[in-house]
Each structure stands twice: as structure tokens, then as C-alpha cells.
């Protein structure tokens, strides 16, 4: 019984994973300068920490609540 869009924490985790993949792609390949790639890398790490926090607390507001 755990399906995305039914359980809010799982939905947040799925969207976080998509954001992490897109930001990682920008950080590794598609960023035009080293500065832009570095910014995307840091933001991808923050999103990864959010995904782990949501998984541990099972709440979409895990780091903020």
C-alpha cells in the first residue's frame, strides 16, 4: 500500500529524486562554467539531504517541522 500521490512523503521523495537527477546532470555535464556547475552541485547535495530526511522522518516537511 505505498503509492506516490497517495502518501505525501513518498510523493515528496519522488519529486526530490527527479530534482536531484536534473541538478546532477547540470552539475556534471550541462553547466556552462565551473561556477554554475559548482552551484548546481551544492544544490543537488541539499536536495539529496532533503530526500534522506524525508525517508527517515516520513514527512514532506522533515527538515522544517
Amino acid at each position: 500500500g505505498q503509492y506516490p500521490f497517495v502518501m505525501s512523503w513518498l510523493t515528496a521523495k519522488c519529486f526530490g529524486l527527479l530534482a536531484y537527477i536534473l541538478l546532477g546532470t547540470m552539475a556534471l555535464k550541462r553547466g556552462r562554467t565551473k561556477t554554475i556547475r559548482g552551484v548546481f552541485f551544492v544544490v543537488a547535495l541539499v536536495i539529496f539531504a532533503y530526500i534522506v530526511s524525508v525517508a527517515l522522518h516520513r514527512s514532506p516537511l522533515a527538515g522544517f517541522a
Side-chain angles (χ1 to χ4, degrees):
Q2 294 182 354
Y3 299 103
F5 306 112
V6 173
M7 303 189 79
S8 61
W9 70 272
L10 194 54
T11 303
K13 204 169 135 182
C14 288
F15 282 126
L17 180 62
L18 287 174
Y20 176 71
I21 291 169
L22 293 174
L23 291 167
T25 301
M26 293 298 290
L28 294 174
K29 291 183 180 180
R30 303 188 192 274
R32 294 182 187 218
T33 65
K34 283 189 176 187
T35 304
I36 291 173
R37 286 192 301 256
V39 169
F40 279 116
F41 177 73
V42 170
V43 175
L45 289 178
V46 170
I47 294 293
F48 179 76
Y50 172 74
I51 292 169
V52 170
S53 176
V54 168
L56 292 175
H57 297 285
R58 295 194 179 186
S59 169
L61 299 175
F64 304 107

